[in-house]
Structure formats: structure tokens, C-alpha cells
Amino acid sequence: MRKVAIFRDPRELLFLSAEKYLSEIQQLIDDAVLQLLPGEKSYPECIHEAMHYSLLAGGKRLRPSLVIAAAEAVGGDRQAVLPFAVATELIHTYTLVHDDLPALDDDDLRRGKPTNHKVFGEAIAILAGDALLTQAFILMTHASLMEKSTEKNVLKAAHEMAQAIGSGGTIGGQVVDLKSEGKPIDAETLEYIHIYKTGFLIQASVRCGAILCDATPERLALLSSYGAHIGLAFQIIDDILDIVGDEKKLGKDIGSDLGKEKATYPALFGIEKSREKAESLIDESLKCLESFDDRAEPMRDIARFFVQRTF
Ligand code: GRG
């Protein structure tokens, strides 16, 4: 079995079960990417190489892990939601490729490797992002999902995901983030940016895994609240890591938020208060899972990992 070195800090020994789960999902997703995407050498090669390059550059696979963990928490199985889980990674990777472009964050390093546009040029990087997003919709409506779930659930999940990542979601958050650079902003706007830019995709990944496995409305509401809490906590920790993180571990340059005068939690509240806020959000997320049995353990582990992570 391939060894996936994603947890490298001795402090993270506490999170062995999260490590095991995430390593398993990482392997599953990497294999599924190869099965479900046009091959790297398919014509026209350059676009498929660019898509594979960013997708297989590493990455913790947190969003697909959440799709799968939510499915399993409500009694479903991972194979039933696999194409949808892969789709969330394609969506996430598209946002990274586009966000790194010179017109946006202009970053040189991502997942420990030169950014997509540095290797393939800007035009192909834009098109690779577009193709990843389009391919995600092919996978969110994949025939095998219809066999294992219902057509109604598949449609509902795909619709939810589209809502979460459009101008009323991820893109909206990114726009407000961009427009706020260099300007003083209030806590409400900052929370909007974080929830929309990062939180919605995380929350939708949880919800969609549960929807595909026919979760009851009560369970879905609890998972939805879990997703909202961990989504905001994730971005607060991301802000902190941009100041105190290790570039090698993170696989990207740090200090870029400060350099671009970006709106962040530490800039508004300081590192300590920001960490306290993230920890309290994770505590709240764990409360949402209290009525769930052992099958929700990976969701609990992932929530704890979100706040303890160093990469
Ligand atoms: C629509 C272009 C566009 C952007 C939307 C999500 C986003 C806004 C931009 C991506 C850039 C970024 C650094 C966002 C902050 C949060 C985040 C998504 C961090 C990276 O996620 P991880 O840690 O990354 O899950 P890996 O590489 O492990 O998958």
C-alpha cells in the first residue's frame, strides 16, 4: 500500500485516526481521479496534463473526505458517493488554480510545486480551471450515482453544490475578498468573506454526502450546522497559518495575506483570539454530532484536525 506522508508533526500523533481515515480517502480519491477523468495523454494533451498536474500535486482531500464521512455517518457507503466526492476535489482544485493566477493572488507555489500557470502558462491554467469545474458537473451527475442513490437526491445534491460555489457562494466571497484588499473592514464583512469564500464548499460537501444517502431532515440539519462551524474554523486557521505556518509543510508561500493587505481574523482580532474562536467553533461542531453513533467518528476526527492542523 502506498504510504501517504500527510501528517508529519509529532503533535499530530494525537490524530492517528484522522490520519488513517484521510490517508485512506486520499488513496481512494487519487485512484478515482485516474479512473474518472480523461487520461493525462488524451488529446489535446496540454489541457489534460494541466488538470492532472494540479489535481495530483498532493492536497489533503478534505472536501471529498467530508462527502464520504457524512455519507457513512448517515449509514451510506463510500462507493455510493465516490464520483461526487471526486467532484468536490475538482471544484476545490479549480479555485486554487484560478486563485493563484496573476490577476488574482499571483502565487508561485501551490501544494509544494510551481503553480499551474507557472508550468503551463496563463491561458492553459485558466482553461484547466474551467475544465476541472465542468468535469465536476459531469461527475456530480455520474450514472453510477443514480444507481446507488435516487435521481431526485443526485439532482438535489448537484443543485446545492452549484449554489454553494457560484456568485452567491464561493465566487461571491472571493469578489468581496478582492474588493476589500487594502481597506479596513468590519467583523461582519470578514465573516461573510470567510463563510462564502471557503465555508460554503466545505458545508456543501458535508450536506451533499448526506443528501445522496437519503439523510433524514433532522440529521441533515445537524450536519449542516456541523459543516457551517467547521467551514469557518477552517478559514480562521488558514489565516493563522499564513502568519505562523511552515512554508515547507504548507507547500505554499506564507505571509501573502499580509503582503496583499487581506482581510483576515488575526489582522482584526489577533492570533490568540482567532485561535480561541476557531476552537470554540469546533466545540460547537462536535455538539452537532452528539446524537450520531460511532459511524460519525471520522467526522469528529476531521473537525478536531481542522483546528489542530499545521498544514
Ligand atoms: C473562485 C478563484 C476562486 C476562488 C475562490 C477558495 C478560494 C476562493 C480560493 C482558494 C485560495 C485559498 C488559499 C483559499 C483559502 C482556503 C483554502 C481553500 C485553503 C486551501 O485548502 P486546503 O488546505 O488545500 O484543503 P489542499 O492543498 O490540502 O487541498
Side-chain angles (χ1 to χ4, degrees):
M1 195 165 103
R2 194 169 64 182
K3 194 168 182 312
V4 187
I6 59 167
F7 286 74
R8 286 152 289 197
D9 189 314
R11 279 175 302 161
E12 288 150 15
L13 286 175
L14 273 173
F15 298 96
L16 273 176
S17 54
E19 172 179 11
K20 189 166 168 288
Y21 194 79
L22 290 173
S23 301
E24 245 174 65
I25 305 296
Q26 196 172 36
Q27 182 71 68
L28 191 69
I29 296 300
D30 288 358
D31 293 346
V33 161
L34 294 175
Q35 277 171 20
L36 295 170
L37 249 68
E40 195 180 6
K41 296 290 168 209
S42 322
Y43 183 80
E45 291 89 344
C46 63
I47 188 73
H48 296 118
E49 276 169 21
M51 290 162 76
H52 280 250
Y53 174 81
S54 287
L55 263 177
L56 296 172
K60 298 180 283 297
R61 314 307 195 199
L62 294 174
R63 295 145 193 86
S65 297
L66 286 167
V67 175
I68 289 171
E72 292 179 341
V74 298
D77 81 273
R78 57 184 65 178
Q79 288 302 330
V81 298
L82 190 54
F84 206 101
V86 174
T88 63
E89 188 64 23
L90 266 57
I91 293 165
H92 168 57
T93 306
Y94 123 75
T95 69
L96 300 179
V97 170
H98 278 189
D99 192 60
D100 289 336
L101 286 166
L104 288 158
D105 267 5
D106 195 12
D107 279 317
D108 295 343
L109 206 59
R110 170 70 66 185
R111 293 177 164 171
K113 293 169 84 173
T115 43
N116 199 293
H117 64 274
K118 287 276 160 195
V119 179
F120 299 96
E122 266 185 71
I124 291 299
I126 292 169
L127 293 169
D130 294 340
L132 286 167
L133 177 59
T134 311
Q135 186 71 29
F137 280 87
I138 296 174
L139 297 189
M140 284 192 278
T141 51
H142 195 274
S144 75
L145 291 169
M146 318 278 184
E147 285 162 21
K148 289 168 182 151
S149 183
T150 62
E151 282 182 15
K152 196 174 159 204
N153 284 344
V154 172
L155 189 61
K156 187 166 187 257
H159 183 80
E160 278 225 8
M161 187 52 76
Q163 291 272 14
I165 63 176
S167 56
T170 309
I171 292 176
Q174 177 74 356
V175 169
V176 178
D177 192 16
L178 195 67
K179 296 286 179 194
S180 304
E181 279 178 22
K183 290 185 195 150
I185 63 157
D186 57 25
E188 204 185 325
T189 311
L190 177 63
E191 197 165 289
Y192 172 94
I193 293 171
H194 282 31
I195 291 172
Y196 280 65
K197 181 178 88 167
T198 308
F200 275 6
L201 175 55
I202 288 174
Q203 187 188 29
S205 300
V206 174
R207 280 182 58 84
C208 291
I211 288 169
L212 289 170
C213 294
D214 224 7
T216 61
E218 295 74 27
R219 299 244 127 173
L220 191 56
L222 287 167
L223 290 174
S224 200
S225 178
Y226 161 91
H229 285 97
I230 64 163
L232 180 55
F234 181 84
Q235 183 58 55
I236 295 174
I237 296 296
D238 206 70
D239 287 354
I240 296 174
L241 290 176
D242 191 66
I243 301 169
V244 300
D246 176 332
E247 282 187 347
K248 265 209 183 122
K249 279 186 170 188
L250 289 166
K252 60 177 186 178
D253 300 326
I254 66 162
S256 63
D257 292 344
L258 270 177
K260 290 177 192 110
E261 294 183 64
K262 281 217 180 215
T264 68
Y265 263 77
L268 218 57
F269 303 108
I271 292 185
E272 208 166 309
K273 282 260 168 316
S274 302
R275 187 165 280 286
E276 279 169 19
K277 167 87 178 168
E279 279 166 4
S280 113
L281 285 163
I282 293 304
D283 289 344
E284 288 304 311
S285 79
L286 293 171
K287 284 186 196 154
C288 301
L289 301 179
E290 273 169 3
S291 62
F292 286 74
D293 63 19
D294 283 358
R295 288 172 295 182
E297 210 47 46
M299 304 212 79
R300 296 185 184 99
D301 288 338
I302 293 171
R304 293 186 198 105
F305 169 69
F306 266 34
V307 81
Q308 295 289 338
R309 71 193 178 99
T310 52
F311 60 101

